[in-house]
Amino acid sequence: MAQFSPKPEWLKVRAPGGDTYHHLKETFRKLDLHTVCEEARCPNVGECWREGTATVMLLGDVCTRGCRFCAVTTGDPRGAVDVREPEHVARAIARLSLQYVVMTMVNRDDLLDGGAEHVARTVSRLHALRPDLLIETLVGDFQGHMSAVDMVVDAGPDVFAHNVEVVRRITRVIRDVRSSYDQSLAVLRRAKERQRRLAADAAEAAGGSAPAPRRLTKSSVMVGIGETDDEVLEALRDLRAAGVDIVTIGQYLRPSSKHAPVQRFVEPETFAAFERAALEMGFLYAASAPLVRSSYKAAEVFVRSLMDRGGAALPAAASGAPAGEHPAGVEALLEERLAVARREAARLTAELDPDEPHPPGGPATASATPARLVPAASLVRR
């Protein structure tokens, strides 16, 4: 298929816009935060930002691996890590009117723990500042070191995500040689086992008086890159057997002529069939469509995964209607969570920057410079 061959109509989207989109875009720049939503030119950026979801990259922008589908710069960071980043990112995100944040990372094979401690510190600090905020960590495979997986899970992200990316047969052709289909499955399996163990320990400590927070695992598959439909179904079965709760499936689009070519544009009807098959396999939620990406409408996916299967980890919608019975319940709960996010962001902004004007009860202005967010003394190792 030619590099610049016309894309089907179902892959064309309207340019992002609106007050919320432009407000967040300006805020991210002021806080020196770089989102994968923008850098990867995600087609869903406007839709996700409107519902209060964003994806932030940790540990720099140089990846130690060179997968044939990814446009991220490949190189050797030589162990370089900004020790201030967990505090800065946590404080910056906490001030935003977000209800769900995805923290992703480049592969850092140059670090002994693959960057796990760095991610865990960011999650823990953000939880401390904004307990209402839902957090997803989309991480690498840490070279199969399960202690690193445990470190991230123990920090308490609501969703632990790791992508298998493609089906088994073409993994060695498309992903970096240090990546492995079975290794990815092992990481996801370990994360689910760790989540269950932590939930059991929490329930025992509480004496059964309070349910433990529900933690989920998630993965993503690209199609149109050389696989068959049967191989996609096989990958879904493998992910479900590894305990994965949520799966997303989307069309691969070639970043440049240096990357793997698109082999086919999968029809929307086929995506719908993948989604039905995933739900029949027992996934709590599946998002499958041409423009779906790994963090597509993450807040909605999380809420639906709980509500559609009778989960009770989140509060009922303000309307009092049985939310799981119809989409309006999901929308009501998302709006409720977004209202809480706006209120908490405004409160935290007032605490961190008492001299900065901001609308009462409205979205945080985030007009302070990054230097004001973190006291210099707190960044010095003693």
Side-chain angles (χ1 to χ4, degrees), residues 301-377:
V301 169
F302 184 88
V303 169
R304 285 184 180 275
S305 70
L306 297 178
M307 295 168 62
D308 290 356
R309 299 290 177 170
L314 297 176
S319 64
E325 292 183 4
H326 49 75
V330 174
E331 295 301 322
L333 184 49
L334 288 171
E335 284 299 319
E336 180 181 319
R337 290 197 59 85
L338 193 52
V340 171
R342 294 190 184 108
R343 185 170 63 248
E344 288 300 296
R347 174 192 62 78
L348 195 62
T349 297
E351 292 179 4
L352 295 177
D353 298 297
D355 298 329
E356 284 291 324
H358 57 280
T365 59
S367 58
T369 62
R372 291 191 59 191
L373 292 175
V374 186

Side-chain angles (χ1 to χ4, degrees), residues 165 221-225 227 232 249-252 264 266 271 274:
E165 307 292 6
V221 181
M222 293 180 295
V223 295
I225 197 170
E227 75 298 320
V232 175
I249 308 168
Q251 172 71 49
Y252 166 69
R264 61 169 176 159
V266 179
F271 278 105
F274 290 152

Side-chain angles (χ1 to χ4, degrees), residues 68-85:
R68 294 190 62 214
F69 63 87
C70 183
V72 173
T73 302
T74 300
D76 182 3
R78 299 183 181 277
V81 174
D82 183 355
V83 297
R84 303 167 300 173
E85 186 176 58

Side-chain angles (χ1 to χ4, degrees), residues 21-39:
Y21 170 82
H22 291 297
H23 168 72
L24 283 175
K25 184 180 181 70
E26 179 183 2
T27 301
F28 287 134
R29 296 295 74 76
K30 288 179 178 178
L31 295 176
D32 196 29
L33 287 178
H34 298 280
T35 68
V36 177
C37 318
E38 295 172 281
E39 295 183 14

